[in-house]
Amino acid sequence: MSGEQNVRHSALVLVCAYVASILACGSGHPTIQSVQINPTSATAQSPLGEVGFTARGMFSNGNSRELTVTDNLQWSSSNTAIATIDNNTGQATCKAPGTVTITASAPANLTITVTNGVSNTSRTITATTQLICT
């Protein structure tokens, strides 16, 4: 190999080793254990009464932090004829009188990593709360 080829080969080997080390760093990091929704229950007037919900992830190392759409957090309402919830903000809006279950779902293998802060997989951990629209 020429000197230039040796440099390219060495650079490629270093890049591959770096990528492999970053991918391996995900193991052993704290993983999400549960999700808590705040407020734990709420009441708003219909139509158009609003409540802002937040979701907090509880991790295996005892730490917690607020979860966002960046974490692949998903919000849902059990009956969108009564209340809807914005998937990006957690803001629920009453449409008609009734009670709905608000659900927050996060990837079960959500981890805190050194490289990018988050790692997501497909299984989910959920939490629910009640919204009463009057």
Side-chain angles (χ1 to χ4, degrees):
M1 273 195 246
S2 70
E4 186 177 325
Q5 288 174 324
N6 280 338
V7 170
R8 285 184 184 163
H9 181 263
S10 295
L12 180 61
V13 168
L14 287 173
V15 167
C16 289
Y18 176 74
V19 169
S21 70
I22 286 179
L23 293 175
C25 282
S27 61
H29 288 279
T31 56
I32 194 166
Q33 301 295 297
S34 64
V35 175
Q36 295 177 346
I37 299 175
N38 192 30
T40 54
S41 65
T43 302
Q45 290 188 353
S46 61
L48 305 179
E50 295 184 333
V51 176
F53 290 96
T54 59
R56 189 157 201 80
M58 311 306 283
F59 289 84
S60 58
N61 64 354
N63 291 336
S64 68
R65 69 172 173 80
E66 189 169 327
L67 302 175
T68 66
V69 70
T70 305
D71 300 311
N72 203 23
L73 179 68
Q74 300 286 314
W75 290 100
S76 63
S77 167
S78 62
N79 187 337
T80 56
I82 295 174
T84 59
I85 188 157
D86 186 299
N87 202 46
N88 293 316
T89 64
Q91 188 78 14
T93 303
C94 288
K95 302 288 185 188
T99 300
V100 295
T101 299
I102 300 296
T103 302
S105 302
N109 291 328
L110 179 66
T111 60
I112 301 174
T113 63
V114 179
T115 55
N116 66 358
V118 216
S119 174
N120 296 330
T121 61
S122 60
R123 285 188 335 119
T124 59
I125 291 180
T126 61
T128 61
T129 190
Q130 297 294 307
L131 173 59
I132 301 168
C133 298
T134 58

